[in-house]
Amino acid sequence: MSRPARTYLRRCREALKKVNPIRSVKGTRDLLPAETALWQRVEEEARRVFVAYNFREIRTPVLEPTVLFARSVGADTDIVTKEMYTFTDRDNESLTLRPEATASVVRAYLEHGLYNEGGIHKLYYMGPMFRRERPQKGRYRQFYQIGAEVLGSYHPSIDAEFLEMLVLFLERVGVRDFALLLNSVGCPKCRAEYVKALRRALERVKVDLCADCQRRAATNPLRVLDCKVEADQPIIEKLPHILEHLCPECQQHFDRVTGELKQRGVAYQITPRLVRGLDYYTRTTFEITSSVLGAQNALLGGGRYDGLAEMLGGPPTPGFGVAIGQDRLMLAVEQAAQLKGEDQLAAYVAWMGEQALPLAAQLAQDLRRQGISAELGYEPIKLKKSLSVANKLRARFAVIIGEGELASGRCQVKDMNTGQQEEVEPARIAQYLQEKLGKPSV
Ligand code: HAM
């Protein structure tokens, strides 16, 4: 390390001793390059699968009017009552950091009149979401979702095809140890009948439930089914099941979905308690859980939301979608260890003597323009030191330019894995590396 660099590091250490270092906000984290390579691979795979099923990307703001989530996710849900990051802006408007993106996608769909184009819209997104939950492994206050939504069709084939796509995606990223849990929460008509039956049953047992459930029994009895309190579980297990209360249309929809899943070879487990913690669902709901995740075992979740567009003031527009918890997915992918992050540097351009710098800089620029990752030393150093830097950077090749190379008009290219060295003309180096690497490295 050079002397200025050493002095700088010493000063940094001294400064850190004087003031308390600033740390990231609780429940948020930095993803460092050792992790991001694999995150990018997973995102690429998601994009590939979505595009294969004809989805297109949508990007919506992180900041939304608070009322969007109160109206869609539901005013009595845990997300809205306890977990949103909400603040009053300077013009007195209440704003919220999005806790999920389905509401935002439907808002954007309505705001831009995409329904006027007719047909089905298939949209996907990726990005950070914010919920003030108690942080633990797989649960963060800023977390990441990869999501997809289909707007414009009531057809049960949409549900089945979508679930088939999710299974394909998980297979592609090497996650095999998972279970698809499936349910129907009916439509407002049959659900109202079910809720009446649930209320009656809850009347009899609610004194034995937790304080939250006693409140939910009065305000939103379906939410009792999401309760995670251990002592409540045996009581909740005995409550009536929604699948026994579906109207003929919802029953037919559910039967078509399960029938098509069988045809498509997608395995599922019917799970009548799966009502999900958001109010906008109708008919199909699902989650995929993975035993490798521990307590926070829901890898992804979603379902149908045929009434959401109307709840947000738009024309009737059916919808179906998913959000994959990317932080949890990454834990499962690391366990499966099939994908590897491709972060290897292709070339380190080592130059000796100031007169070699212009050619080295030109060469590095050429390589980068052709999509070959390259690093250029910034100070003149000896060959041995350069090669040790190349090693430290895990470069696949070192391109060496010194006095001899300048005189001969040819560079030495050293394969850092095998140690073999070849002479190559500067103009041919990009092509030479491309052939050796098999493809552009970035
Ligand atoms: P959700 O079930 O609230 O659904 O979230 C989906 C997934 O996000 C969960 O299964 C989990 O993997 C992940 N997740 C949720 N909260 C956290 C957290 N605090 N930390 C880490 N991961 C978390 C939705 O968000 C709906 N918008 C899904 C949907 C799309 N429904 C229809 N379309």
Side-chain angles (χ1 to χ4, degrees), residues 130-304:
F130 305 84
R131 295 184 195 174
R132 201 179 190 290
E133 293 190 83
R134 201 164 43 77
Q136 63 180 89
K137 187 181 169 207
R139 190 164 70 192
Y140 305 97
R141 291 182 174 176
Q142 175 172 336
F143 60 100
Y144 294 82
Q145 287 187 341
I146 298 177
E149 316 287 345
V150 178
L151 294 162
S153 173
Y154 291 95
H155 207 287
S157 293
I158 295 281
D159 312 25
E161 186 183 68
F162 201 109
L163 294 169
E164 170 197 284
M165 173 176 80
L166 293 178
V167 170
L168 173 69
F169 169 64
L170 291 179
E171 281 172 11
R172 285 278 168 86
V173 293
V175 177
R176 294 199 202 293
D177 187 8
F178 61 81
L180 167 60
L181 313 182
L182 191 69
N183 192 25
S184 170
V185 293
C187 60
K189 202 172 66 177
C190 57
R191 193 163 50 222
E193 289 304 311
Y194 169 66
V195 169
K196 271 190 214 158
L198 191 59
R199 262 186 219 281
R200 280 197 297 275
L202 280 168
E203 261 326 298
R204 291 193 289 274
V205 295
K206 76 175 181 200
V207 287
D208 300 322
L209 293 172
C210 67
D212 270 348
C213 280
Q214 295 194 15
R215 180 179 50 80
R216 291 173 189 136
T219 55
N220 193 346
L222 272 188
R223 297 277 72 86
V224 172
L225 304 179
D226 304 329
C227 173
K228 302 279 182 305
V229 175
E230 202 59 48
D232 288 2
Q233 302 310 309
I235 305 170
I236 296 172
E237 286 304 330
K238 293 200 193 91
L239 292 170
H241 286 173
I242 194 157
L243 287 177
E244 290 152 9
H245 290 80
L246 295 182
C247 63
E249 294 80 14
C250 289
Q251 185 65 53
Q252 195 187 15
H253 186 95
F254 193 57
D255 292 343
R256 288 282 301 268
V257 174
T258 51
E260 270 207 40
L261 286 176
K262 279 185 204 129
Q263 265 170 35
R264 291 166 186 262
V266 176
Y268 59 87
Q269 295 170 18
I270 293 185
T271 313
R273 250 184 82 176
L274 186 72
V275 290
R276 314 249 316 118
L278 304 94
D279 278 354
Y280 50 61
Y281 290 111
T282 52
R283 297 191 169 168
T284 314
T285 52
F286 65 91
E287 277 183 11
I288 290 187
T289 57
S290 168
S291 56
V292 301
L293 290 178
Q296 299 305 314
N297 68 350
L299 204 51
L300 58 86
R304 186 161 271 289

